Amino acid sequence: MADQDQDQDLVDVDPNDPDDDFLPVFRWKQAGRENLATRRQLREMGLRPGGQEPVARIECRGGKRFAWLYRIDLAKPKFAMTLAKEAALDKAMAARQTCPGPCGRRYFHCLPLKTLGSCLECYDGTPADPASYIAPPAKHLLAA
């Protein structure tokens, strides 16, 4: 019987559920006076949440959109970008920006590879602005 009483006192909380009433909710532009910031605001300050749980939520568009708020004083500095991280990021972006079609150009924006499979010029002949891509490296043909 004691186990049943303990089970009734337990409350299951989903931290990803925006409808729970366990965290304070601020409306748009009301959380500025607290010591709180969103992930994006922390990133602009050169910080990251650092493993802390959100302490509040800010809502906009009538509650349809929300963001978690974290305490600034508990935030930790961002990790520094290393050459290995930068190379890995460039490799990942190159996969999204390079046309696998016959032109092989690397664009300054991500291509619709999932839907079209190539750049627009290779897909349907729409000419691309030369300022929007980097020409592929020339293939070196050895004489010997």
Side-chain angles (χ1 to χ4, degrees):
M1 189 70 176
D3 290 335
Q4 291 176 348
D5 292 336
Q6 285 180 343
D7 290 340
Q8 291 175 354
D9 295 338
L10 298 177
V11 177
D12 189 21
V13 178
D14 182 7
N16 298 318
D17 183 13
D19 294 329
D20 63 14
D21 295 326
F22 293 101
L23 295 177
V25 177
F26 294 98
R27 301 289 174 224
W28 183 248
K29 295 188 178 182
Q30 288 183 341
R33 294 180 295 267
E34 307 296 323
N35 186 21
L36 306 175
T38 63
R39 282 183 179 267
R40 184 172 290 176
Q41 291 168 336
L42 287 174
R43 188 171 51 240
E44 288 174 359
M45 292 184 248
L47 301 171
R48 60 185 171 90
Q52 65 172 305
E53 294 294 323
V55 295
R57 218 177 52 213
I58 188 164
E59 291 182 346
C60 63
R61 297 187 183 173
K64 293 180 183 176
R65 303 275 305 196
F66 73 94
W68 299 116
L69 294 171
Y70 301 90
R71 288 181 47 186
I72 296 172
D73 58 337
L74 297 179
K76 296 180 180 176
K78 282 194 315 186
F79 292 113
M81 180 67 73
T82 64
L83 289 176
K85 286 182 184 179
E86 192 172 351
L89 181 61
D90 184 57
K91 185 177 177 181
M93 289 305 295
R96 297 176 66 193
Q97 295 172 338
T98 304
C99 178
C103 73
R105 297 177 184 144
R106 180 171 178 181
Y107 288 80
F108 293 114
H109 56 85
C110 293
L111 297 174
L113 298 178
K114 287 185 179 180
T115 56
L116 302 182
S118 65
C119 66
L120 285 174
E121 191 165 338
C122 292
Y123 180 72
D124 64 2
T126 304
D129 181 13
S132 68
Y133 61 85
I134 303 168
K139 295 181 181 177
H140 296 288
L141 301 175
L142 300 175

